[in-house]
């Protein structure tokens, strides 16, 4: 059942602006997530009807009688690459509805590619086909990998063209679904333009919406909100690290309190392991490089704490102390999640105090050995390696440093003597943890360029395969890019 966005009805106009979305000239669904639609109780035939199209493309709810509120663009601020921008907001997006999953969790639906909003600044408010399909592919792949993320319900072409640097490109919209789009930047907006009452109002709404189980009362309630946000981010970034995901724009306006991966711009999965890997063309200094993500998440959470801390205690010093204590937990929470995740990747069910050293050695060897991150872990869990102890094919994945690899191999074999479960059980657990396929940049680029020319077959093929990333298949999609295929940069409008 679709209802108007609670964000609009529960929070005052300070937090959002009502907008009317102009109907696109010729909206057409080019990708529809029928499984997600069903989970949301949305009838697929209805989504294809004129009424369904009006909903997906301009947020028109069916049975509108008696409904006063329509789509809203939400207000937020944000630190972009470390610089505070006091007023950002949904410049090309709007919340259009709420709905519930079958098990009763509330979700928000948002259109990205609305046309101008009061927050568009100099932008045109538009989205284009390449980035919309990219978000659809990558966010759904993240979901299939078991990583919290916004989901993609549909991509529509608008029927007109949008001007971009390289000339006109097809206009498009993506309809995405999230537990909530509230960001660290939403709190920064409340603190910068409102005051403590606004921060409290947003915090109350966030708790009610996202964390109804938080039972703490009074000031402790807001401290509990910060703590749960810290925990979610720590777990999220640990997940990203486990699959080689680089978000690319970890600005505070792209950091969701829900702990969902938000905003798929220049993000990418790395092929060869490199802790300083970055793809985003605008990230010149590697601020958001792979290995810097855990520290950057803490930086973002510190900005959240700066907004919330006055709610923790009337005594400012005590309030700051509580915020600092909560932030200090981050490193421990991240490290715990990260180590547990990589132990799973290595199929280590037991815990040994030297595991961290072993892991660092493996990662270092992947780096110097120029190993493909996904394929190397996948092969470690193959029957040849994990059951027969035959490391010869795996060794070939480390062309840059086979000597280091040989050393690493002895360390791994030594560590495995501590494991109690059978090699078969370990191997199966590893195959269920290390994906065979991830959305590799070069494959995405090929699928998107074909789609833009009108052939959606490669896009659907890739999307379908990414639904079962852990399953064995002979589709060739696990191949790392050849040097000439490698995509080195991604762009915000990628
Ligand atoms: P993003 O890089 O997508 O996180 O966007 C950062 C900010 O720029 C947000 O406030 C967006 O709404 C805004 N923005 C991005 N692209 C456009 C556009 N084409 N038109 C208007 N605003 C935009
Ligand atoms: Mg954003």
């Amino acid at each position: 059942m679709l209802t108007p966005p609670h964000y609009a009805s529960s929070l005052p106009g300070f937090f959002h602006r009502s907008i009317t979305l102009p109907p696109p000239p010729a909206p057409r669904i080019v990708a529809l997530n029928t499984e997600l639609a069903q989970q949301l109780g949305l009838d697929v035939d209805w989504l294809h009807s004129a009424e369904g199209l009006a909903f997906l493309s301009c947020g028109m709810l069916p049975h509108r009688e008696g409904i006063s509120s329509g789509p809203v663009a939400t207000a937020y601020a944000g630190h972009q690459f470390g610089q505070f921008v006091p007023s950002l907001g949904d410049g090309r997006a709007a919340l259009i509805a709420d709905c519930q999953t079958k098990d009763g969790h509330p979700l928000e639906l948002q259109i990205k590619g609305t046309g101008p909003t009061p927050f568009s600044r100099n932008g045109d408010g538009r989205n284009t086909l390449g980035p919309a399909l990219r978000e659809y592919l990558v966010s759904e792949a993240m979901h299939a990998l078991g990583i919290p993320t916004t989901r993609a319900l549909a991509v529509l072409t608008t029927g007109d063209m949008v001007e971009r640097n390289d000339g006109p490109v097809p206009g498009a919209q993506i309809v995405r679904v999230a537990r909530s789009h509230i960001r660290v930047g939403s709190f920064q907006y409340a603190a910068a333009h409102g005051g403590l009452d606004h921060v409290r109002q947003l915090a109350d709404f966030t708790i009610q919406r996202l964390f109804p189980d938080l039972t703490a009362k009074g000031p402790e309630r807001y401290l509990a909100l910060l703590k749960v946000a810290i925990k979610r981010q720590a777990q999220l970034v640990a997940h990203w690290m486990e699959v080689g995901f680089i978000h690319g724009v970890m600005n505070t306006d792209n950091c969701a309190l829900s702990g969902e991966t938000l905003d798929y711009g220049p993000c990418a999965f790395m092929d060869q392991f490199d802790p300083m890997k970055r793809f985003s063309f605008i990230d010149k200094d590697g601020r958001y490089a792979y290995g810097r993500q855990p520290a950057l998440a803490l930086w973002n959470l510190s900005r959240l704490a700066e907004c919330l801390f006055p709610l923790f205690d009337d005594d400012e010093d005590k309030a700051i102390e509580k915020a600092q204590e909560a932030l200090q937990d981050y490193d421990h929470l991240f490290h715990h999640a990260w180590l547990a995740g990589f132990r799973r990747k290595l199929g280590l069910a037991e815990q040994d105090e030297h595991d961290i050293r072993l892991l660092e050695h493996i990662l270092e060897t992947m780096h110097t050995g120029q190993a493909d991150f996904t394929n190397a872990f996948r092969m470690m869990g193959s029957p040849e390696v994990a059951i027969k102890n035959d490391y010869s094919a795996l060794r070939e994945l480390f062309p840059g440093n086979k000597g280091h690899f040989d050393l690493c191999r002895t360390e791994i074999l030594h560590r495995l003597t501590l494991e109690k479960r059978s090699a078969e059980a370990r191997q199966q657990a590893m195959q269920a943890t290390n994906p065979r396929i991830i959305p590799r940049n070069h494959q995405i680029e090929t699928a998107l360029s074909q789609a833009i020319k009108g052939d959606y077959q490669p896009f659907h093929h890739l999307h379908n395969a990414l639904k079962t990333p852990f399953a064995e298949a002979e589709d060739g999609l696990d191949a790392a890019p050849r040097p000439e295929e490698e995509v080195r940069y991604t762009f915000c409008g990628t």
Side-chain angles (χ1 to χ4, degrees), residues 76 80 92 112 176 183 249 253-254 262-263:
Y76 52 84
Q80 298 191 307
R92 51 171 170 170
K112 189 166 170 181
R176 69 182 179 192
R183 311 129 195 272
V249 255
D253 52 303
N254 293 333
L262 174 68
D263 229 328

Side-chain angles (χ1 to χ4, degrees), residues 467-488:
K467 284 182 192 171
T468 52
F470 304 103
E472 278 303 317
E474 297 291 331
D475 54 15
L477 291 174
D478 52 348
R482 293 190 297 274
E484 70 276 15
E485 287 177 322
E486 211 180 312
V487 176
R488 290 196 170 76

Side-chain angles (χ1 to χ4, degrees), residues 344-346 377-378 381 429-436 469-470:
R344 273 196 306 276
K345 286 180 81 66
L346 291 170
F377 271 109
R378 180 72 177 181
M430 287 178 82
Q431 291 302 81
T433 304
N434 295 303
R436 181 185 70 87
F470 304 103

Side-chain angles (χ1 to χ4, degrees), residues 76 80 88-92 112 119-121 123-126 164 253-254 263:
Y76 52 84
Q80 298 191 307
L88 286 167
D90 289 327
R92 51 171 170 170
K112 189 166 170 181
F119 302 109
S120 293
R121 295 174 291 159
D124 59 5
R126 301 296 306 271
R164 287 292 179 260
D253 52 303
N254 293 333
D263 229 328

